[in-house]
């Protein structure tokens, strides 16, 4: 699975859950068969807003193509 396929899986996951994100996202850490994908929250682009956390993170399993949201505080 290449970088574009990983990003597309993660983008579709967020789109299906109706979560607004800044595209295209970026690849984060890789642990085993799971790759982290990071998307900025669009509200972080407004200089008058404070958003915590400023991003959404998902894990993409490159073998099973399963995507899951990483809970953040």
């Amino acid at each position: 699975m290449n970088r574009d396929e990983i990003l597309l899986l993660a983008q579709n996951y967020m789109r299906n859950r109706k979560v607004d994100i800044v595209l295209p996202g970026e690849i984060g850490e890789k642990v085993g068969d799971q790759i982290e994908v990071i998307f900025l929250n669009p509200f972080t682009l407004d200089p008058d807003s404070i958003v915590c956390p400023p991003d959404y993170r998902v894990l993409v399993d490159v073998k099973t193509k399963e995507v899951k949201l990483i809970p953040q505080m």
Side-chain angles (χ1 to χ4, degrees):
M1 180 175 284
N2 67 34
R3 180 183 190 282
D4 292 335
E5 292 171 322
I6 293 166
L7 287 172
L8 186 60
L9 276 174
Q11 291 167 2
N12 288 337
Y13 176 87
M14 298 301 277
R15 187 176 298 119
N16 289 339
R17 281 148 188 80
K18 300 191 183 341
V19 178
D20 290 330
I21 55 174
V22 177
L23 295 175
E26 63 183 68
I27 301 291
E29 292 184 37
K30 179 181 180 191
V31 178
D33 293 329
Q34 296 186 330
I35 297 176
E36 178 185 50
V37 180
I38 305 162
F39 297 105
L40 277 180
N41 181 326
F43 290 109
T44 61
L45 302 176
D46 180 357
D48 295 327
S49 294
I50 298 173
V51 182
C52 185
D55 55 34
Y56 299 105
R57 295 170 185 247
V58 296
L59 283 178
V60 177
D61 189 303
V62 295
K63 285 191 176 178
T64 65
K65 297 185 179 180
E66 179 183 2
V67 183
K68 60 183 176 182
L69 187 65
I70 300 172
Q72 298 185 83
M73 293 183 76

